[in-house]
């Protein structure tokens, strides 16, 4: 479901007109042309999703993000300063972030005063600045009561499949970043791109990502923990203490590798596109059966997430 109905749009238009917020700054000319060369080269070289698909996948994979709001006058301190906090979130069918917030929280009160926010989403299993993240800029508004049940179902689907009857209780309110104004994607050092909002909202995540990716990743880790470590030992290092799949897409998967106290992220490319858990199991079985052929690519060279 997409929370883009005419009723919500009209309510937000009225609220936006009352808020007297200054126009957002920045145009294509002032920002400069997107620095897409690093993304494009990495995508072609390592068979990665395009940046817009990578962002869409990242929003689906991540369960938590940093929400940045503007401190309001009601707190009597630091008014006008940015206020960052970690929140869980989901997204609707168009990729608009959804939030379930307490009305007593500082960030909720900030949003009620000024809807301008940014949401920083980073890859699961974050290991450092070479890993991918995206900043989504937009205006966040409270959803009308008749949309709360649909929002709750989306939230439960992502965060609480096993506890549907117990999750999201109490005095919580749903919000949606309905007006996305810009998207800034960083795939790693020197790999950055402004992603067109219309392209983002028209793009669907990979089917393997849209269908409960955390359960898929957990199942793959449980089944392939030992074989994957042995494979990476043969190809990358004499000894690997830990190898955990942290993200997946139709073209490959990312593995967080620990050797002692050092971490890195390696990319495994599929031989064929995967669309579901069964496909991923078949691909991993096939790759491991190749007896350590060159299937792992160091993420330090890719410098991008997906």
């Amino acid at each position: 479901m997409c929370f883009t109905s005419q009723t919500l749009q009209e309510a937000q238009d009225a609220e936006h007109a009352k808020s007297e917020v200054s126009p957002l700054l920045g145009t294509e000319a002032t920002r400069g042309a997107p620095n897409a060369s690093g993304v494009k080269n990495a995508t072609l070289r390592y068979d990665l999703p395009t940046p817009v698909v990578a962002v869409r996948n990242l929003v689906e994979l991540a369960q938590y993000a940093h929400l940045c709001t503007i401190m309001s006058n009601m707190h009597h301190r630091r008014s006008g300063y940015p206020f960052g906090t970690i929140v869980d979130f989901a997204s609707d069918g168009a990729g608009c972030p959804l939030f379930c917030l307490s009305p007593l929280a500082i960030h909720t009160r900030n949003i009620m005063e000024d809807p301008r926010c940014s949401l920083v989403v980073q890859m699961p299993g974050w290991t450092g600045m070479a890993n991918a993240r995206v900043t989504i800029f937009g205006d966040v508004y409270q959803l009308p009561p008749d949309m709360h049940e649909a929002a709750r179902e989306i939230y439960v689907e992502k965060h609480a499949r096993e506890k549907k009857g117990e999750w999201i209780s109490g005095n919580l309110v749903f919000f949606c970043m309905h007006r996305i104004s810009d998207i800034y994607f960083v795939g790693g050092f020197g790999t950055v791109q402004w992603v067109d909002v219309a392209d983002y909202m028209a793009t669907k995540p990979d089917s393997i990502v849209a269908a409960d990716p955390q359960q898929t990743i957990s199942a793959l880790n449980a089944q392939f923990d030992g074989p994957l470590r042995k494979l990476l030992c043969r190809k990358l290092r004499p000894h690997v203490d830990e190898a955990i799949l942290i993200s997946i897409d139709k073209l490959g998967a990312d593995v967080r590798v620990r050797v002692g106290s050092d971490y890195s992220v390696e990319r495994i490319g599929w031989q064929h596109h995967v669309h579901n858990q069964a496909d991923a199991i078949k691909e991993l079985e096939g790759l491991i059966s190749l007896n350590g052929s060159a299937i792992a690519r160091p993420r330090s060279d890719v410098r991008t997430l997906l």
Side-chain angles (χ1 to χ4, degrees):
M1 177 178 181
C2 300
F3 293 92
T4 56
S5 68
Q6 183 177 0
T7 301
L8 178 57
Q9 183 69 59
E10 290 174 351
Q12 293 174 350
D13 287 343
E15 184 65 26
H16 191 69
K18 290 190 299 180
S19 65
E20 299 181 355
V21 175
S22 301
L24 295 173
L25 300 177
T27 63
E28 292 299 328
T30 58
R31 287 197 302 249
N35 180 11
S37 58
V39 175
K40 183 177 180 180
N41 291 342
T43 300
L44 293 176
R45 182 179 177 187
Y46 295 98
D47 198 22
L48 302 168
T50 61
V52 66
V53 175
V55 172
R56 197 67 179 82
N57 285 345
L58 181 54
V59 169
E60 291 294 326
L61 280 165
Q63 295 181 299
Y64 300 92
H66 297 267
L67 178 66
C68 300
T69 58
I70 300 172
M71 284 290 281
S72 65
N73 290 320
M74 72 174 63
H75 304 296
H76 308 294
R77 60 194 305 164
R78 305 305 176 200
S79 175
Y81 277 73
F83 178 82
T85 189
I86 298 176
V87 297
D88 53 15
F89 77 103
S91 62
D92 70 2
C96 295
L98 296 172
F99 310 98
C100 184
L101 306 176
S102 166
L104 301 178
I106 289 179
H107 47 277
T108 307
R109 296 182 179 185
N110 291 341
I111 289 170
M112 300 303 291
E113 289 291 314
D114 188 335
R116 293 177 298 173
C117 299
S118 64
L119 186 72
V120 182
V121 184
Q122 61 196 46
M123 68 175 289
W126 174 268
T127 60
M129 297 302 292
N131 298 156
R133 60 269 192 194
V134 61
T135 302
I136 304 175
F137 302 84
D139 297 344
V140 175
Y141 295 93
Q142 183 176 338
L143 288 174
D146 61 346
M147 292 185 177
H148 280 202
E149 185 56 34
R152 183 184 185 280
E153 287 300 314
I154 292 174
Y155 242 86
V156 168
E157 186 72 14
K158 183 169 186 177
H159 291 282
R161 283 177 172 267
E162 297 82 13
K163 299 180 180 180
K164 289 188 177 183
E166 304 173 16
W167 200 74
I168 306 182
S169 60
N171 188 22
L172 298 176
V173 182
F174 286 98
F175 289 78
C176 178
M177 184 183 280
H178 178 57
R179 275 200 186 88
I180 297 178
S181 56
D182 227 330
I183 300 172
Y184 184 66
F185 174 66
V186 180
F189 294 115
T191 303
V192 300
Q193 179 164 338
W194 291 94
V195 173
D196 183 79
V197 175
D199 289 345
Y200 169 80
M201 298 189 73
T203 299
K204 298 298 182 183
D206 291 342
S207 56
I208 186 71
V209 177
D212 197 2
Q214 298 304 324
Q215 193 280 331
T216 296
I217 291 171
S218 295
L220 294 176
N221 279 324
Q223 183 171 347
F224 293 98
D225 174 40
L228 193 56
R229 256 188 307 116
K230 292 179 181 179
L231 177 63
L232 292 173
C233 281
R234 288 195 296 266
K235 295 307 302 177
L236 299 174
R237 297 173 177 85
H239 176 71
V240 171
D241 294 305
E242 186 177 72
I244 299 177
L245 288 162
I246 57 175
S247 69
I248 191 170
D249 57 69
K250 73 176 184 180
L251 301 177
D254 294 304
V255 185
R256 185 180 66 204
V257 178
R258 181 177 66 84
V259 179
S261 59
D262 295 328
Y263 288 86
S264 65
V265 178
E266 311 292 337
R267 175 76 175 179
I268 292 178
W270 307 134
Q271 302 299 310
H272 308 91
H273 290 177
V274 303
H275 304 287
N276 51 50
Q277 183 175 316
D279 289 347
I281 291 174
K282 183 177 179 181
E283 281 296 304
L284 275 173
E285 289 176 341
L287 291 172
I288 290 172
S289 71
L290 293 177
N291 194 29
S293 61
I295 64 169
R297 294 110 179 225
R299 296 297 300 183
S300 57
D301 291 335
V302 178
R303 298 189 187 282
T304 187
L305 169 62
L306 299 168

